[in-house]
Amino acid sequence: MAVGLVLSACSKDKDTPQPPKENFVMIDGQRLEIKSVRALHNKSRGRIMVNLQLSRQNRSWVWVDGIAAELHGKTIDLTKLNAKIGLYFYYFNGDHNIFLLNSAQGQVFDSGTLYTSVDPNTRDTEINLTNGKLTYEGKEHTVSLYYKGKADKMVGD
């Protein structure tokens, strides 16, 4: 009888809806609000691009751009980036790049993983960067981000 109670209690936990994961960007310990998201999965060019706008005046953003066949629907180890993945990762704030990483130039993260998915028809987008650390111009940066939702079209799409 006790086993039955334990099993029924466990099955109820599975049925309890979990709250949705919150969308966020965290850079160098600072939590930044996502104001809007634009995304593109261009099959003819073979690219995925996600632009997370962090200000309404388009003066602060995170940009992720890479080869769709290497990124779409996959979790990649950011310490093992290469030219084949073709990942560009930017954080721009105000009038300058805070950091800019280009895997085609051999630049990699010190740690972290990245999952990216953009549906080319519906623009349902999910991007998850966890435990990201990178060094840019001699300064160490930390970055984590998560977004799941519908993105707007990119200009020229």
Side-chain angles (χ1 to χ4, degrees), residues 46-145:
R47 308 250 359 131
I48 282 184
M49 296 174 227
V50 179
N51 182 312
L52 302 158
Q53 295 289 314
L54 306 175
S55 73
R56 298 243 184 255
Q57 297 79 22
N58 198 23
R59 296 187 47 81
S60 180
W61 42 265
V62 171
W63 178 272
V64 179
D65 177 356
I67 298 185
E70 300 298 322
L71 292 179
H72 182 69
K74 299 175 183 175
T75 299
I76 60 169
D77 181 342
L78 293 171
T79 67
K80 297 180 179 166
L81 294 174
N82 56 48
K84 182 180 175 187
I85 294 171
L87 181 74
Y88 296 90
F89 189 87
Y90 303 93
Y91 171 43
F92 182 86
N93 190 5
D95 295 323
H96 60 286
N97 287 317
I98 304 301
F99 51 79
L100 162 63
L101 182 136
N102 179 348
S103 70
Q105 295 178 356
Q107 298 167 330
V108 297
F109 279 69
D110 301 322
S111 69
T113 60
L114 175 68
Y115 173 85
T116 310
S117 174
V118 177
D119 184 292
N121 300 313
T122 65
R123 291 231 187 327
D124 288 335
T125 300
E126 183 174 7
I127 185 165
N128 187 11
L129 191 154
T130 58
N131 300 318
K133 290 183 182 177
L134 66 116
T135 303
Y136 181 73
E137 295 183 343
K139 184 173 185 215
E140 185 176 282
H141 297 278
T142 60
V143 59
S144 294
L145 62 87

Side-chain angles (χ1 to χ4, degrees), residues 37-53:
V37 177
R38 295 184 191 121
L40 170 72
H41 182 162
N42 186 314
K43 287 188 175 184
S44 64
R45 289 189 193 158
R47 308 250 359 131
I48 282 184
M49 296 174 227
V50 179
N51 182 312
L52 302 158
Q53 295 289 314

